[in-house]
Amino acid sequence: MAILGLLSTVFYVVPRTTILGAMLLTGYFGGVIATQVRLDAPLFSTILFPVYLAVLVWGGLWLRNEQVRKFFSLQP
């Protein structure tokens, strides 16, 4: 599991594969959320922490990538 997380992070850091890395990290965080829900962990401290990280990943990508800003723009 650690290798998958590290590989996704490496994809996120390399500029050419940043979007792929963000998608892989989001899927990885989804698996973490599913595991924590199954273990009946506390909501705000444990279950939602991967959600916070995913928001930071996509927020950072939105700040540094023009294509992502155009894709997520609110204007038609």
Side-chain angles (χ1 to χ4, degrees):
M1 292 302 292
I3 293 172
L4 291 175
L6 184 62
L7 185 65
S8 300
T9 304
V10 168
F11 280 140
Y12 180 71
V13 171
V14 176
R16 290 185 63 137
T17 59
T18 301
I19 295 173
L20 174 64
M23 291 189 319
L24 289 173
L25 281 171
T26 303
Y28 185 79
F29 294 148
V32 172
I33 291 169
T35 303
Q36 295 299 326
V37 167
R38 183 179 173 276
L39 294 174
D40 200 26
L43 179 65
F44 291 106
S45 63
T46 307
I47 293 177
L48 290 181
F49 186 71
V51 174
Y52 306 146
L53 290 177
V55 168
L56 288 174
V57 164
W58 283 100
L61 187 60
W62 185 80
L63 287 173
R64 66 182 174 161
N65 194 329
E66 182 68 30
Q67 292 175 331
V68 175
R69 274 186 291 225
K70 287 180 183 178
F71 184 75
F72 288 117
S73 70
L74 299 176
Q75 299 173 357

